[in-house]
Amino acid sequence: LKQDSQGADAPTLLAVEAATDEPVGLLLLFRGEEEPGTVRVGYMLAETAWGKGFATEIVAGLVNWSKRAIETDPDGLGKGIRCQKGGVGHDNPASARILEKCGFRKAEQPEASPDETMFELIFQ
């Protein structure tokens, strides 16, 4: 992942294919003031990248990075991260499967809006 913007509270990371260095998607992160300790996750892939495992690799990489940051840098990059959440449109079951494969579960209050379901990963 290459960092595309320097916003501390809402970085956007560019995902590139290692073999070609071509962009395949974006990973968006942001912390909401209404949910301290929660990082919202969003991702978008180029249609040509669908079905090739890139989304799973991107989300799994974020989860692994977060776990390491919490363990090794609790006062820096990992400071305050307790939960990651991602909303998935009801018409996008593939994205829901990706989040579940990476350890996310439906949130206790899973409806983020009438059109999407919220998933969360709580770090211990």
Side-chain angles (χ1 to χ4, degrees):
L1 293 175
K2 295 183 179 178
Q3 190 159 359
D4 185 36
S5 95
Q6 298 298 319
D9 292 328
T12 301
L13 304 170
L14 177 65
V16 297
E17 184 175 6
T20 64
D21 208 33
E22 290 295 315
V24 293
L26 295 173
L27 174 65
L28 306 123
L29 307 170
F30 54 98
R31 293 183 193 227
E33 291 180 13
E34 67 280 354
E35 292 184 274
T38 296
V39 176
R40 292 289 309 263
V41 177
Y43 54 91
M44 297 178 285
L45 289 182
E47 197 169 337
T48 57
W50 292 0
K52 297 179 180 177
F54 291 119
T56 301
E57 185 176 351
I58 290 167
V59 175
L62 171 67
V63 169
N64 290 332
W65 176 88
S66 298
K67 287 177 181 178
R68 281 194 314 274
I70 292 166
E71 291 171 8
T72 63
D73 194 10
D75 295 322
L77 292 173
K79 186 175 184 175
I81 299 175
R82 293 191 307 267
C83 177
Q84 290 176 342
K85 289 187 177 184
V88 175
H90 297 308
D91 61 346
N92 192 354
S95 205
R97 284 192 302 274
I98 289 163
L99 291 176
E100 289 175 330
K101 193 184 311 184
C102 293
F104 287 72
R105 299 294 173 249
K106 283 187 181 178
E108 287 183 24
Q109 296 180 354
E111 298 299 322
S113 75
D115 299 324
E116 68 178 359
T117 300
M118 186 62 64
F119 287 80
E120 65 185 359
L121 174 62
I122 299 173
F123 296 101
Q124 300 300 324

